[in-house]
Amino acid sequence: MFGAEWCRDCRRTKAQLDGLGVPYRYVDLEAEPDAVEVAREISGRTQIPVVVYPDATHHVEPSNADVDAKLRELGILTA
């Protein structure tokens, strides 16, 4: 997940993943400014968060429902 602490959607998505116990790697774009271009290459956009899934798909600014549905599709969430 690419994001920044000032971003409300990023904080919301991190809280969702933490609450679900889903492991993920967080790339703080403020601490790693070179990663901004990586996130842009993945998404084709400048909005965050960019959530990249194990199947190499991604969401940009996803809702909690979007993330939940994708995690279920991938079998990461089952209950």
Side-chain angles (χ1 to χ4, degrees):
M1 176 182 154
F2 295 85
E5 290 307 310
W6 52 261
C7 168
R8 183 182 342 202
D9 287 335
C10 298
R11 292 191 311 267
R12 177 184 46 76
T13 302
K14 279 178 63 179
Q16 179 186 15
L17 294 172
D18 290 341
L20 293 170
V22 174
Y24 64 97
R25 185 169 80 91
Y26 179 71
V27 179
D28 183 341
L29 297 176
E30 291 181 300
E32 299 181 49
D34 291 342
V36 170
E37 189 57 37
V38 175
R40 185 176 300 133
E41 287 175 12
I42 291 168
S43 69
R45 298 168 59 186
T46 57
Q47 290 87 354
I48 54 176
V50 175
V51 180
V52 181
Y53 298 99
D55 66 354
T57 62
H58 68 276
H59 275 131
V60 180
E61 295 184 306
S63 68
N64 284 5
D66 291 335
V67 173
D68 188 80
K70 185 62 182 183
L71 294 175
R72 289 182 188 289
E73 175 189 317
L74 293 172
I76 295 169
L77 290 183
T78 56

